Amino acid sequence: MNSYIPVGAKIIDIVKHTDIEWTFRVECSTKDVLPGKFYEISIPKYGESPISVSGYGDNYIDFTIRSVGKVTNEIFNYKIGDKFFIRGPYGNGFDISIYENREIIVVAGGSGIAPVRGIVEYFYNNPQKFKSFKLIAGFRSPQDILFKDDLKRWDEKLDVIVTVDKGENDYKGNVGLVTKYIPNLEIKDVNNTSAIVVGPPMMMHFTVGEFLKRDLAENNIWVSYERKMCCGVGKCGHCKMDDTYICIDGPVFDYSYAKNLID
């Protein structure tokens, strides 16, 4: 696939998580795909929108899309068998080999679980490749929880904490921000621990702060930045921070680099 030219991607499955967040599985090549990379999804007459890869397998890619704009609203009218256009993948993504044979902690806020879903799935299927694996997934409410079936399945082999900002009186699960759970996490060797943090900017800011309090090195903390990555190839400049193009140099950075990026 030429990463500069959009190609048609046939929808082969749709999972409706909430009223405004669905996962579209499309049939296409998965060459060079990694968790954290993104594609530009386009619909003629409507435009393009950058969407992270939320899963992939033999000849398919998942895109978890929130209906919040002109392009994404139109996609929600599409059905299985329809096609939209994609180009990519773009960005660096998460190099999974960096995290192998380490203690791994993934913290995801809201739709931030989509870019890290491939990481969790990989280690779920390869439990011999990590020392320990903890996932903290935070959502606004029980109704906003994404990938419920995956979270339940992952909990069979991994240490999974699902929490919500606020639950109704009959809600029996965890309540509280993701940062609530970091101080008490068991970390046996802080020098052999990697933390991956993806979510809204303020959530990432305070979550990284909690890991720094636990003495994790800045280069062992990984974040993913969301910017208006209009072109995906470093030409339009919309995603540029200082001299860094998020669409090319990122969107995944270790915190020792990311902390110096200023708008």
Side-chain angles (χ1 to χ4, degrees):
M1 182 188 298
N2 186 321
S3 62
Y4 293 90
I5 301 175
V7 297
K10 181 181 178 181
I11 300 170
I12 56 177
D13 193 22
I14 299 174
V15 177
K16 300 178 181 180
H17 305 287
T18 70
D19 290 340
I20 62 168
E21 289 161 313
W22 298 0
T23 294
F24 294 80
R25 176 166 292 182
V26 300
E27 190 176 61
C28 70
S29 167
T30 58
K31 183 181 179 182
D32 299 326
V33 175
L34 286 174
K37 287 197 172 192
F38 69 96
Y39 281 74
E40 295 286 349
I41 293 181
S42 61
I43 299 177
K45 299 181 181 179
Y46 288 88
E48 284 188 318
S49 182
I51 303 293
S52 296
V53 171
S54 64
Y56 55 97
D58 293 336
N59 300 313
Y60 75 81
I61 296 176
D62 292 339
F63 297 105
T64 301
I65 299 174
R66 175 178 287 182
S67 178
V68 291
K70 189 175 181 181
V71 178
T72 54
N73 289 348
E74 179 62 20
I75 290 174
F76 272 51
N77 294 320
Y78 280 43
K79 299 177 177 61
I80 293 174
D82 292 341
K83 288 185 177 181
F84 49 69
F85 291 88
I86 64 173
R87 58 183 178 90
Y90 297 122
N92 55 357
F94 291 98
D95 181 354
I96 291 177
S97 65
I98 292 175
Y99 312 113
E100 290 183 346
N101 302 312
R102 297 175 66 84
E103 295 182 59
I104 306 163
I105 306 169
V106 177
V107 184
S111 57
I113 195 170
V116 301
R117 181 171 171 245
I119 301 172
V120 183
E121 194 69 25
Y122 173 82
F123 286 107
Y124 173 85
N125 291 319
N126 296 276
Q128 74 282 3
K129 293 190 176 182
F130 62 81
K131 299 295 185 182
S132 67
F133 193 105
K134 300 175 178 67
L135 168 65
I136 304 174
F139 303 93
R140 288 178 180 168
S141 73
Q143 292 73 35
D144 294 310
I145 296 175
L146 307 179
F147 303 109
K148 290 181 180 178
D149 291 343
D150 286 339
L151 289 165
K152 187 179 298 183
R153 177 171 53 85
W154 292 337
D155 196 37
E156 297 168 2
K157 297 181 184 179
L158 311 174
D159 183 1
V160 177
I161 297 172
V162 178
T163 185
V164 298
D165 295 348
K166 186 177 181 181
E168 295 79 6
N169 292 333
D170 59 346
Y171 176 68
K172 305 299 183 183
N174 297 307
V175 177
L177 302 177
V178 293
T179 49
K180 171 183 175 181
Y181 301 91
I182 297 172
N184 296 321
L185 288 177
E186 181 183 5
I187 299 176
K188 293 182 178 179
D189 182 358
V190 71
N191 295 315
N192 193 43
T193 299
S194 294
I196 299 167
V197 182
V198 183
M202 290 303 290
M203 168 263 173
M204 290 198 296
H205 173 78
F206 287 105
T207 300
V208 168
E210 290 298 323
F211 281 121
L212 294 175
K213 291 178 186 177
R214 295 295 307 268
D215 294 326
L216 264 73
E218 292 179 347
N219 61 356
N220 284 333
I221 302 172
W222 297 82
V223 296
S224 179
Y225 278 8
E226 287 190 5
R227 299 282 291 177
K228 185 59 177 174
M229 298 175 284
C230 297
C231 70
V233 293
K235 299 299 182 184
C236 72
H238 285 87
C239 71
K240 190 177 182 184
M241 299 177 74
D242 294 332
D243 294 325
T244 298
Y245 290 89
I246 305 301
C247 68
I248 296 177
D249 305 308
V252 176
F253 303 95
D254 74 61
Y255 185 68
S256 66
Y257 187 93
K259 70 176 184 179
N260 296 313
L261 295 176
I262 300 173
D263 280 312

